[in-house]
Amino acid sequence: MLADDAGCNARNPYSGRLFLDTEHSIDVYPEDVEVDYRGNEVTVDTFLGILTGRHPPGTPSSKMLRSTKDDTVLVYITGHGA
């Protein structure tokens, strides 16, 4: 899940891209990164649905967490203090 609030912000002159340095050599959204949920799809309901296995009909299996009672799921949340 990626809120994309910086990469897709209207004030970002490089739409959909976010650079780690002033030389624009390190894009934190490289083309080979697959994001299953971004922008408006990132909600509390979506997050809880993923964790509990409750998905709307037609949700692709690639967007599902297929864990069982024998699995350990690590949830890592980070932000920039907003």
Side-chain angles (χ1 to χ4, degrees), residues 15-48:
S15 182
R17 302 175 76 189
L18 188 63
F19 295 99
L20 194 59
D21 57 355
T22 56
E23 290 80 30
H24 303 134
S25 63
I26 303 172
D27 187 356
V28 298
Y29 297 158
E31 292 182 21
D32 62 341
V33 171
E34 182 178 331
V35 178
D36 293 320
Y37 296 93
R38 67 174 1 136
N40 293 336
E41 295 177 314
V42 180
T43 65
V44 171
D45 289 337
T46 302
F47 180 68
L48 293 176

